[in-house]
Amino acid sequence: MSESEARPTNFIRQIIDADLASGKHTSVHTRFPPEPNGYLHIGHAKSICLNFGIAQDYQGQCNLRFDDTNPEKEDIEYVESIKNDVNWLGFEWSGEICYSSNYFDKLYGFAIELINKGLAYVDELSPEQMREYRGTLTEPGKHSPYRDRSVEENLALFEKMKNGEVEEGKMCLRAKIDMASPFMVMRDPVIYRVRFATHHQTGDKWCIYPMYDFTHCISDALEGITHSICTLEFMDNRRLYDWVLENITIDCTPHQYEFSRLNLEYTVMSKRKLNQLVTEKLVDGWDDPRMPTISGLRRRGFTPASMREFCKRIGVTKQDNTIEISSLESCIRDDLNENAPRAMAVLDPVKVVIENFDGETEMLTVANHPNKPEMGSREVPFSRELYIEREDFREEGNKKYKRLVLGKEVRLRGAYVIKAERIEKDAEGNITTIFCTYDNETLGKNPADGRKVKGVIHWVSAEAGVAAEIRLYDRLFTVPNPGAADDFVSVINPESLTVVNGFVEPSLVAAEAEKAFQFERMGYFCADNKDSSPEHLVFNRTVGLRDTWAKIGE
Ligand code: ATP
Ligand code: MG
């Protein structure tokens, strides 16, 4: 079990505990509200674990709501991927999936209500003028000349906007709040704009679309959300959230709470930047195993449990923070060390010929996990010709080097002790073959005469082993905070993907995609969920055995 059992505690859960204790709420209803304009990333996983986790632990409910008010940037592909990712992480939303666009009729009605109350007006300032009129943090804004239109005029113009009689950018509906507010979001925010765009849910029914701040609070209220949890950049928007709900006729008043977003070193989390990586083909799609997306991490071999555990370990606070990649990696390593079956693969092969072995290929029974007999065993073919890792042989060794050395012995994992007798090299001096002998009395036992053989190396039968493409991943960026670079594309790590051609034991032909194995001494690997087939095996390295930068096998 890699997931810690204890329930997390954090300031939001404390607020919920207090609300339940005081009777302010009798049950908890949260929501996860992604905008379907990209694939979900590990930051979203934090929000998912928080919102769905609360619903689970408090026997409450959590909605999945698509915050879909930007038709130009959104797509049904994203809707589908998001549903998939939430389920894959191990969560179920309550009831039907919600869409903000389901509420477009109601939202329109609330906009009319605000106009009727003299609390919204149709503005005709150009976007540039509007920016100029807004003022700055140190200077108050100015009133738009259109601010004091009559209710009738506003109703008529809003109707025109709705009917497609107004060009994009020519008019918008603004809430009439306070152009001198110290909170910029309260300076008459735009609540509706014209967009002649086909919407993935509502088609061409609408050509005016409500803005996030107007939509979000109303959607929360319509769904009976009790605790509306979002990231800190929406802190100021809480004023507007509350203002809208106070000024319309609606009987539910959810409360917004903010926590700090997850930042992870050596990666970017902004969907705009992730999108750019995909569209400029700097990575192989949203689910490229180097991406911080849920689908990328999944393809890389991360498990849902390891991602939930990661979210638990990082906790929920209001402090800005950047998490080291090694914390994410240690979660998956802890999980796979316990749960991944072992197998053997040679990534940089050099041939071994066992000259005193003339029999047929011999099937050896090897345990799938050193400490878990319940995980069973498998048959691994041992033959006269094998591959071992090139770095596991040296002509001359030293005390620290506990692998195969010319004239010395080493144990082959799950098999016999072999001794390197002589080598053959090509014209460039590269070793092509290591000729060995084996001691056939050493299967599962030490040499009878008390010879000490310390090292153990992995191997694959050259006759029965299967060729495999193996993809080794490194950090996608060369700097810890690529988002801060002038051009984040310029700090992409050119060596973030290395492809090698190796050999794997034949049992791996049946490896299920995404299901990680520990390749003995080499790390954790899983079959690629897109490109691997029994005819052409492709394995992704999920994570190394110790630390990404640590040398393997020392
Ligand atoms: P971007 O700004 O890159 O488009 P976003 O935050 O707008 O991302 P949404 O789809 O709106 O993306 O996010 C859905 C939910 O996930 C929101 O409640 C948001 O606060 C939360 N979320 C997004 N990114 C993170 C993150 N890095 N850490 C924690 N929560 C996040
Ligand atoms: Mg957003």
Coordinates of all heavy atoms in Angstrom, one line a residue, residues 341-379:
P341 N 5.9 -5.8 -10.9 CA 6.6 -7.0 -11.1 C 8.0 -6.7 -11.7 O 8.2 -5.7 -12.4 CB 5.7 -7.8 -12.0 CG 4.7 -6.9 -12.6 CD 4.7 -5.7 -11.7
R342 N 8.9 -7.6 -11.4 CA 10.2 -7.4 -11.9 C 10.3 -8.1 -13.3 O 9.6 -9.1 -13.5 CB 11.2 -8.0 -11.0 CG 11.7 -7.1 -9.8 CD 10.7 -6.4 -9.1 NE 11.2 -5.6 -8.0 CZ 10.5 -4.7 -7.3 NH1 9.2 -4.5 -7.6 NH2 11.1 -4.1 -6.3
A343 N 11.2 -7.6 -14.1 CA 11.5 -8.3 -15.4 C 12.9 -7.9 -15.8 O 13.5 -7.0 -15.1 CB 10.5 -7.8 -16.4
M344 N 13.4 -8.5 -16.8 CA 14.8 -8.1 -17.2 C 14.8 -7.6 -18.6 O 14.1 -8.1 -19.5 CB 15.7 -9.3 -17.1 CG 16.0 -9.6 -15.6 SD 17.4 -10.7 -15.3 CE 16.7 -12.3 -15.7
A345 N 15.6 -6.6 -18.8 CA 15.8 -5.9 -20.1 C 17.2 -5.4 -20.2 O 17.7 -4.9 -19.2 CB 14.8 -4.8 -20.3
V346 N 17.8 -5.4 -21.3 CA 19.1 -4.9 -21.5 C 19.0 -3.7 -22.5 O 18.5 -3.9 -23.6 CB 20.1 -6.0 -22.0 CG1 21.4 -5.4 -22.4 CG2 20.2 -7.1 -21.0
L347 N 19.4 -2.6 -22.0 CA 19.2 -1.4 -22.8 C 20.3 -1.1 -23.8 O 20.2 -0.4 -24.8 CB 19.0 -0.2 -21.9 CG 17.5 0.0 -21.4 CD1 16.9 -1.2 -20.8 CD2 17.4 1.2 -20.4
D348 N 21.5 -1.5 -23.4 CA 22.7 -1.2 -24.2 C 23.5 -2.5 -24.3 O 24.4 -2.8 -23.5 CB 23.5 -0.1 -23.5 CG 24.8 0.2 -24.3 OD1 24.9 -0.1 -25.5 OD2 25.7 0.8 -23.7
P349 N 23.0 -3.4 -25.2 CA 23.4 -4.8 -25.2 C 24.9 -5.1 -25.7 O 25.3 -4.4 -26.6 CB 22.4 -5.5 -26.1 CG 21.8 -4.4 -26.9 CD 22.0 -3.1 -26.2
V350 N 25.5 -6.0 -25.0 CA 26.7 -6.6 -25.6 C 26.6 -8.1 -25.4 O 26.0 -8.5 -24.4 CB 28.0 -6.0 -24.9 CG1 28.0 -6.4 -23.4 CG2 29.3 -6.6 -25.5
K351 N 27.1 -8.8 -26.4 CA 26.8 -10.2 -26.4 C 27.7 -11.0 -25.5 O 28.9 -10.8 -25.4 CB 26.9 -10.8 -27.9 CG 26.4 -12.2 -28.0 CD 26.2 -12.7 -29.4 CE 24.8 -12.3 -29.9 NZ 24.6 -12.8 -31.3
V352 N 27.1 -12.0 -24.9 CA 27.9 -13.0 -24.1 C 27.7 -14.4 -24.7 O 26.5 -14.7 -25.0 CB 27.4 -13.0 -22.6 CG1 27.9 -14.2 -21.8 CG2 27.8 -11.7 -21.9
V353 N 28.8 -15.1 -24.9 CA 28.6 -16.5 -25.3 C 29.1 -17.4 -24.2 O 30.3 -17.2 -23.8 CB 29.4 -16.7 -26.7 CG1 29.3 -18.2 -27.1 CG2 28.8 -15.9 -27.8
I354 N 28.3 -18.3 -23.8 CA 28.7 -19.2 -22.7 C 29.2 -20.5 -23.4 O 28.4 -21.4 -23.9 CB 27.6 -19.5 -21.8 CG1 27.2 -18.1 -21.2 CG2 28.0 -20.5 -20.7 CD1 26.0 -18.2 -20.3
E355 N 30.5 -20.6 -23.5 CA 31.1 -21.7 -24.3 C 30.9 -23.1 -23.8 O 30.8 -24.0 -24.6 CB 32.6 -21.4 -24.5 CG 32.8 -20.1 -25.4 CD 34.2 -19.8 -25.6 OE1 35.0 -19.5 -24.7 OE2 34.7 -20.0 -26.8
N356 N 30.7 -23.2 -22.5 CA 30.5 -24.6 -22.0 C 29.1 -25.0 -21.8 O 28.7 -25.9 -21.2 CB 31.3 -24.8 -20.7 CG 30.9 -23.9 -19.6 OD1 30.3 -22.9 -19.9 ND2 31.2 -24.3 -18.4
F357 N 28.2 -24.2 -22.4 CA 26.8 -24.5 -22.4 C 26.4 -24.9 -23.8 O 26.4 -24.2 -24.7 CB 26.0 -23.2 -22.0 CG 24.5 -23.4 -21.9 CD1 23.8 -23.6 -20.7 CD2 23.7 -23.3 -23.0 CE1 22.5 -23.8 -20.6 CE2 22.3 -23.5 -23.0 CZ 21.7 -23.7 -21.7
D358 N 26.1 -26.2 -23.9 CA 25.7 -26.7 -25.3 C 24.3 -27.1 -25.3 O 23.8 -27.5 -26.4 CB 26.6 -27.8 -25.9 CG 27.9 -28.0 -25.1 OD1 28.8 -27.3 -25.4 OD2 27.8 -28.8 -24.1
G359 N 23.6 -27.2 -24.2 CA 22.3 -27.7 -24.3 C 21.3 -26.8 -25.0 O 21.6 -25.8 -25.6
E360 N 20.1 -27.2 -24.9 CA 18.9 -26.5 -25.4 C 18.7 -25.3 -24.5 O 19.2 -25.3 -23.4 CB 17.7 -27.3 -25.4 CG 17.7 -28.6 -26.3 CD 17.3 -28.2 -27.7 OE1 16.2 -27.7 -27.9 OE2 18.2 -28.3 -28.6
T361 N 17.9 -24.4 -25.0 CA 17.5 -23.3 -24.1 C 16.9 -23.9 -22.8 O 16.1 -24.8 -22.9 CB 16.5 -22.4 -24.8 OG1 17.2 -21.8 -25.9 CG2 16.0 -21.3 -23.9
E362 N 17.2 -23.3 -21.7 CA 16.7 -23.9 -20.4 C 15.7 -22.9 -19.8 O 16.1 -21.7 -19.8 CB 17.9 -24.1 -19.5 CG 17.6 -24.7 -18.2 CD 18.8 -24.8 -17.3 OE1 19.9 -24.7 -17.7 OE2 18.6 -25.0 -16.0
M363 N 14.6 -23.3 -19.3 CA 13.7 -22.4 -18.7 C 13.9 -22.3 -17.2 O 13.9 -23.3 -16.5 CB 12.2 -22.8 -19.0 CG 11.8 -22.8 -20.4 SD 12.2 -21.3 -21.4 CE 10.8 -20.3 -20.9
L364 N 14.2 -21.1 -16.8 CA 14.5 -20.9 -15.3 C 13.2 -20.2 -14.7 O 12.6 -19.4 -15.4 CB 15.7 -20.0 -15.2 CG 17.0 -20.4 -15.8 CD1 18.1 -19.4 -15.6 CD2 17.4 -21.8 -15.3
T365 N 12.9 -20.6 -13.5 CA 11.8 -20.0 -12.8 C 12.3 -18.8 -12.0 O 13.2 -19.0 -11.1 CB 11.1 -21.0 -12.0 OG1 10.7 -22.1 -12.8 CG2 9.8 -20.4 -11.3
V366 N 11.8 -17.6 -12.2 CA 12.3 -16.4 -11.5 C 11.1 -15.7 -10.9 O 10.0 -15.6 -11.4 CB 13.0 -15.5 -12.5 CG1 13.5 -14.2 -11.8 CG2 14.1 -16.2 -13.3
A367 N 11.3 -15.3 -9.6 CA 10.2 -14.7 -8.8 C 9.9 -13.3 -9.5 O 10.8 -12.6 -9.9 CB 10.7 -14.5 -7.4
N368 N 8.6 -13.0 -9.4 CA 8.2 -11.7 -10.0 C 8.5 -10.5 -9.0 O 8.5 -9.4 -9.5 CB 6.7 -11.7 -10.3 CG 6.5 -12.5 -11.6 OD1 7.4 -12.7 -12.4 ND2 5.3 -13.1 -11.7
H369 N 8.7 -10.8 -7.8 CA 8.9 -9.8 -6.8 C 9.8 -10.4 -5.7 O 9.4 -11.4 -5.2 CB 7.6 -9.2 -6.3 CG 7.8 -7.9 -5.5 ND1 8.5 -7.8 -4.3 CD2 7.5 -6.6 -5.9 CE1 8.5 -6.5 -3.9 NE2 7.9 -5.8 -4.9
P370 N 10.9 -9.7 -5.3 CA 11.8 -10.4 -4.3 C 11.1 -10.6 -3.0 O 11.4 -11.6 -2.3 CB 12.9 -9.4 -4.2 CG 12.4 -8.1 -4.7 CD 11.4 -8.4 -5.7
N371 N 10.2 -9.7 -2.6 CA 9.6 -9.8 -1.2 C 8.1 -10.2 -1.2 O 7.5 -10.2 -0.2 CB 9.7 -8.5 -0.4 CG 11.0 -7.8 -0.6 OD1 12.0 -8.5 -0.7 ND2 11.0 -6.5 -0.8
K372 N 7.6 -10.5 -2.4 CA 6.2 -10.8 -2.5 C 5.9 -12.1 -3.2 O 5.6 -12.1 -4.4 CB 5.4 -9.6 -3.2 CG 5.4 -8.4 -2.3 CD 4.4 -7.4 -3.0 CE 3.8 -6.4 -2.1 NZ 2.9 -5.5 -2.8
P373 N 6.0 -13.2 -2.5 CA 5.8 -14.5 -3.2 C 4.4 -14.6 -3.9 O 4.2 -15.3 -4.9 CB 6.0 -15.5 -2.1 CG 6.1 -14.8 -0.8 CD 6.4 -13.3 -1.1
E374 N 3.5 -13.8 -3.3 CA 2.1 -13.9 -3.8 C 2.1 -13.3 -5.3 O 1.1 -13.5 -6.0 CB 1.1 -13.1 -2.9 CG 1.3 -11.6 -2.8 CD 2.3 -11.2 -1.7 OE1 3.2 -12.0 -1.3 OE2 2.3 -10.0 -1.3
M375 N 3.1 -12.6 -5.7 CA 3.1 -12.1 -7.0 C 3.6 -13.1 -8.0 O 3.6 -12.9 -9.2 CB 3.9 -10.8 -7.2 CG 3.2 -9.6 -6.6 SD 4.1 -8.1 -6.6 CE 4.1 -7.7 -8.4
G376 N 3.9 -14.3 -7.5 CA 4.2 -15.4 -8.4 C 5.6 -15.4 -9.1 O 6.5 -14.6 -8.7
S377 N 5.7 -16.2 -10.1 CA 7.0 -16.3 -10.8 C 6.7 -16.5 -12.3 O 5.6 -16.6 -12.7 CB 7.8 -17.5 -10.2 OG 7.0 -18.6 -10.5
R378 N 7.8 -16.4 -13.0 CA 7.7 -16.6 -14.5 C 8.8 -17.4 -15.0 O 9.8 -17.6 -14.3 CB 7.6 -15.2 -15.2 CG 8.9 -14.5 -15.0 CD 8.8 -13.0 -15.3 NE 10.1 -12.4 -15.4 CZ 10.8 -12.0 -14.3 NH1 10.4 -12.3 -13.1 NH2 12.0 -11.5 -14.5
E379 N 8.7 -17.9 -16.2 CA 9.8 -18.6 -16.8 C 10.7 -17.7 -17.7 O 10.1 -17.0 -18.5 CB 9.2 -19.7 -17.7 CG 8.3 -20.7 -17.0 CD 9.0 -21.8 -16.4 OE1 9.4 -22.7 -17.1 OE2 9.2 -21.7 -15.1

